[in-house]
């Protein structure tokens, strides 16, 4: 197993490099880079996104003149930037130098990767802060949403899936399937809006807050009050995300158990006189739960980095999802590529951890022996 882990760790390098190359190349052909955003601010043509996010206007500026083109470095060519007509070419050169676009794209990519190799992600273009500091500041929100959502989804889905498998075809299985179908059909963001209307000062009750992870006076509270205040703030966002996640996991658990229950070793165990509980939890459970438990790291990463953007926007939570969205809107390249590098690296490591968990849960699974 150790040789397999070493090979997988070594494969991270070309995989990560390839992902960064592809994304860097795509960004080069996207209009509305930081130079164009600065030009829009100088000319007073930046859109309302500037005020919202503290940066540029997004993909385009409303200034006239010129034809949109890629920003590939070079020497202050006014014509290649949208809205730059009428500006001093020397000013364009200064702006390019400010953002590092006075160098060719290949040189910029190489310098970026050398910095990332030592986990130096640089400074944000529009926030005047280091990227790593921004990520650390936003991390508590995203970890809170991702961790609690994943845990609650597993705590609901596994027992429910097991009960549905054991009682397959019963009234319990039928009506719970209806609940699962309903939960799977309702988008998480729509359920979040419903919860706000019902419980957060909408048309009915005003029980829960709508902004932030904690209250303004959190620092003055005792530990018991802090814990209560924390869960009070994340209750609705987490519940909204759980609705969309538990349905698929429940059906996966049920189907895994049904597959195992119908296998020959279960019939043999029953024929030996073992109790149904002993058969279910002593023999079936480990094999049926292999895929589900081993997939926990990947599920957590998926919810952490891809499932919380809408919830952060709806509930005014300043987390990693919102940070990434604002970076894309503002073309804040250091934040975009820094977070992409860090999260991709973390995701690749989590995949290796998932494989290791497969082996820990069932030692019969040997990736090295299979030549994986």
């Amino acid at each position: 197993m150790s040789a397999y882990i070493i090979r997988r760790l070594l494969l991270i390098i070309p995989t990560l490099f390839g992902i960064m190359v592809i994304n860097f190349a795509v960004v080069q052909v996207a209009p509305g880079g930081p130079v164009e955003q600065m030009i829009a601010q100088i000319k007073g043509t930046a859109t309302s996104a500037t005020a919202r996010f503290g940066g540029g206007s997004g993909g385009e500026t409303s200034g006239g003149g010129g034809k949109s083109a890629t920003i590939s470095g070079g020497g202050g060519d006014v014509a290649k930037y949208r809205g730059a007509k009428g500006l001093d070419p020397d000013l364009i050169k200064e702006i390019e130098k400010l953002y590092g676009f006075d160098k060719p794209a290949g040189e910029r990519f190489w310098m970026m990767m050398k910095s990332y190799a030592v986990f130096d992600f640089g400074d944000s273009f529009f926030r005047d802060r280091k990227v790593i500091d921004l990520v650390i500041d936003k991390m508590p929100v995203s970890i809170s949403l991702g961790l609690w959502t994943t845990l609650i989804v597993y705590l609901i889905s596994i027992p429910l899936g097991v009960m549905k498998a054991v009682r397959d075809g019963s009234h319990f299985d039928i009506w719970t399937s209806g609940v699962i179908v309903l939960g799977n059909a309702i988008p998480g963001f729509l359920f979040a809006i419903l919860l706000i209307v019902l419980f957060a000062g909408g048309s009915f009750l005003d029980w829960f807050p709508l902004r932030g992870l904690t209250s303004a006076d959190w620092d003055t509270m005792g530990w018991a009050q802090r814990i209560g205040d924390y869960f009070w703030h994340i209750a609705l966002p987490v519940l909204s995300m759980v609705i969309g996640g538990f349905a698929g996991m429940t059906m996966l658990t049920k189907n895994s158990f049904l597959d195992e229950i119908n296998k020959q070793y279960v019939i043999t165990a029953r024929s030996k006189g073992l109790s149904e509980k002993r058969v279910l939890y002593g023999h079936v459970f480990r094999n049926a739960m292999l895929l589900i438990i081993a997939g926990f790291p990947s599920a957590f990463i998926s919810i952490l980095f891809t499932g919380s953007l809408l919830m952060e926007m709806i509930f005014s939570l300043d987390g990693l999802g919102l940070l990434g969205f604002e970076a894309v809107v503002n073309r804040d390249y250091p934040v975009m590529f820094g977070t992409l590098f860090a999260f991709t690296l973390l995701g690749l490591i989590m995949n290796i951890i998932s494989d290791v968990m497969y082996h820990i849960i069932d030692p019969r699974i040997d990736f090295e022996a299979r030549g994986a």
Side-chain angles (χ1 to χ4, degrees):
M1 191 66 180
S2 58
Y4 170 78
I5 294 175
I6 292 173
R7 287 199 303 270
R8 287 292 303 273
L9 289 173
L10 292 176
L11 279 173
I12 287 178
I13 298 174
T15 304
L16 188 58
F17 184 81
I19 291 173
M20 296 300 295
V21 167
I22 293 172
N23 283 272
F24 187 85
V26 170
V27 165
Q28 301 312 299
V29 299
V35 176
E36 290 182 337
Q37 305 239 7
M38 179 59 72
I39 290 171
Q41 293 187 46
I42 292 173
K43 300 189 70 174
T45 57
T47 65
S48 59
T50 303
R52 170 69 176 86
F53 300 129
S57 61
E60 297 180 358
T61 65
S62 58
K67 190 175 182 180
S68 178
T70 61
I71 299 176
S72 57
D77 184 4
V78 174
K80 70 180 179 179
Y81 296 121
R82 181 189 297 269
K85 187 176 181 179
L87 291 181
D88 187 348
D90 290 335
L91 176 60
I92 301 298
K93 290 182 180 180
E94 288 297 323
I95 297 174
E96 287 182 333
K97 186 176 181 180
L98 175 66
Y99 293 120
F101 288 98
D102 56 331
K103 300 178 179 65
E107 184 178 348
R108 283 188 281 116
F109 178 78
W110 178 246
M111 292 174 61
M112 181 182 72
M113 293 306 296
K114 285 200 302 183
S115 298
Y116 287 4
V118 294
F119 297 98
D120 177 11
F121 302 121
D123 299 327
S124 168
F125 283 161
F126 301 109
R127 293 173 180 263
D128 196 27
R129 295 187 62 192
K130 290 185 176 298
V131 173
I132 190 65
D133 292 338
L134 286 171
V135 172
I136 292 174
D137 283 349
K138 314 300 182 184
M139 191 69 78
V141 171
S142 294
I143 288 181
S144 295
L145 294 178
L147 181 61
W148 290 115
T149 299
T150 307
L151 287 175
I152 294 174
V153 164
Y154 269 69
L155 289 175
I156 294 175
S157 299
I158 291 177
L160 182 59
V162 172
M163 287 188 288
K164 285 177 65 62
V166 173
R167 305 178 188 181
D168 184 41
S170 66
H171 290 295
F172 173 82
D173 182 41
I174 294 172
W175 75 260
T176 52
S177 294
V179 174
I180 290 172
V181 170
L182 181 64
N184 195 41
I186 299 177
F189 73 90
L190 186 61
F191 189 71
I193 295 173
L194 177 63
L195 290 178
I196 290 174
V197 172
L198 294 177
F199 302 112
S203 303
F204 297 93
L205 303 173
D206 189 10
W207 288 352
F208 294 93
L210 267 178
R211 181 176 296 275
L213 193 62
T214 57
S215 299
D217 59 343
W218 191 80
D219 291 335
T220 64
M221 297 179 182
W223 283 108
Q225 289 178 304
R226 289 185 178 185
I227 294 174
D229 183 75
Y230 168 75
F231 284 108
W232 182 46
H233 278 77
I234 68 170
L236 295 188
V238 168
L239 181 58
S240 302
M241 295 176 68
V242 166
I243 289 298
F246 89 99
M249 184 63 67
T250 299
M251 296 309 299
L252 176 62
T253 303
K254 176 189 174 181
N255 293 333
S256 296
F257 268 80
L258 285 177
D259 288 342
E260 293 297 324
I261 287 174
N262 295 322
K263 288 184 178 179
Q264 185 63 43
Y265 75 91
V266 177
I267 298 174
T268 303
R270 285 172 175 165
S271 66
K272 291 181 177 179
L274 297 179
S275 66
E276 191 65 22
K277 185 176 180 180
R278 177 76 180 275
V279 171
L280 184 63
Y281 294 102
H283 293 76
V284 175
F285 189 83
R286 186 181 70 174
N287 294 329
M289 294 306 297
L290 177 63
L291 177 64
I292 298 166
I293 296 177
F296 182 88
S298 298
F300 171 65
I301 290 296
S302 176
I303 294 176
L304 178 63
F305 297 131
T306 63
S308 61
L309 171 59
L310 287 176
M311 297 306 157
E312 289 177 14
M313 298 183 70
I314 292 172
F315 291 98
S316 298
L317 296 170
D318 194 8
L320 292 174
L322 192 58
L323 175 66
F325 174 73
E326 293 176 0
V328 171
V329 170
N330 293 330
R331 303 298 194 271
D332 195 343
Y333 293 161
V335 176
M336 288 172 58
F337 289 119
T339 53
L340 173 67
F341 181 90
F343 299 158
T344 302
L345 178 61
L346 184 58
L348 293 172
I349 293 174
M350 284 297 180
N351 286 334
I352 298 176
I353 293 176
S354 294
D355 289 347
V356 173
M357 289 186 67
Y358 276 113
H359 181 72
I360 292 174
I361 296 172
D362 189 349
R364 294 173 300 175
I365 298 177
D366 189 348
F367 293 99
E368 188 171 347
R370 298 184 182 190

